[in-house]
Amino acid sequence: MKLILTADVAGLGGPGDIVEVKDGYGRNYLLPRSLAIVASKGAEKQVQTIRRAQQARAIRGLDHAQEVKAAIEKVAPVQLKAKAAAGSGKLFGSVTTADVVSAIKAAGGPVLDKRSVELPGHIKTVGKHSVNVRLHPEVNVALKLEVTAS
């Protein structure tokens, strides 16, 4: 069975790779978990879109990671508005890595991959929190996140 991977699969490949796998593995594991799509002419266009999106978010070496770190430090502290209870300051839900990435982008920072953001647990209260952004194995950014009630 010929498939196009949409996510990293250990021992098989990364997003956008066209792989040949056994029918059972494809039908019973990769396709139900949305790790791959069936290879077709239309799907090949999706592969190009997946690769372009990855390249836009990818950090291209140590020098590029240092530039992105400087850009993130310019916009710090980042403010994030979330729905919260009026008296107690508890959030309805919690802050996710995708919320942090969109708040950085809205503050004028670079576009990041949400997998590079590390939260210190569940952020469920209004206030100041510290978030770690791992850009490169040698480059980490400690970002101050200020969660306010909307």
Side-chain angles (χ1 to χ4, degrees):
M1 173 178 266
K2 204 171 199 178
L3 298 174
I4 300 172
L5 297 178
T6 57
D8 284 322
V9 179
L12 200 56
D17 292 346
I18 299 174
V19 295
E20 185 75 31
V21 296
K22 293 193 177 187
D23 291 346
Y25 182 58
R27 271 196 314 267
N28 298 325
Y29 183 75
L30 296 174
L31 292 174
R33 288 176 174 78
S34 299
L35 297 174
I37 55 175
V38 178
S40 66
K41 289 186 181 191
E44 289 179 14
K45 290 181 182 178
Q46 285 182 325
V47 168
Q48 294 171 354
T49 305
I50 291 169
R51 285 195 176 146
R52 268 189 254 122
Q54 267 188 328
Q55 290 172 352
R57 290 180 297 203
I59 302 296
R60 298 179 262 315
L62 185 60
D63 293 336
H64 187 241
Q66 295 289 353
E67 292 174 12
V68 173
K69 178 180 178 179
I72 291 173
E73 288 174 343
K74 280 184 186 176
V75 298
V78 176
Q79 292 193 354
L80 176 67
K81 291 189 177 197
K83 288 186 178 182
S88 65
K90 290 185 179 180
L91 299 180
F92 296 122
S94 63
V95 174
T96 63
T97 56
D99 295 333
V100 174
V101 169
S102 63
I104 292 170
K105 184 178 176 187
V111 178
L112 298 173
D113 187 6
K114 68 181 182 180
R115 292 174 287 190
S116 65
V117 176
E118 298 172 351
L119 297 176
H122 297 288
I123 297 176
K124 294 186 175 190
T125 59
V126 173
K128 294 182 180 182
H129 303 276
S130 180
V131 176
N132 188 33
V133 181
R134 174 165 286 147
L135 300 172
H136 189 268
E138 300 174 15
V139 180
N140 290 326
V141 181
L143 178 70
K144 295 295 179 189
L145 178 70
E146 188 175 334
V147 180
T148 59
S150 63

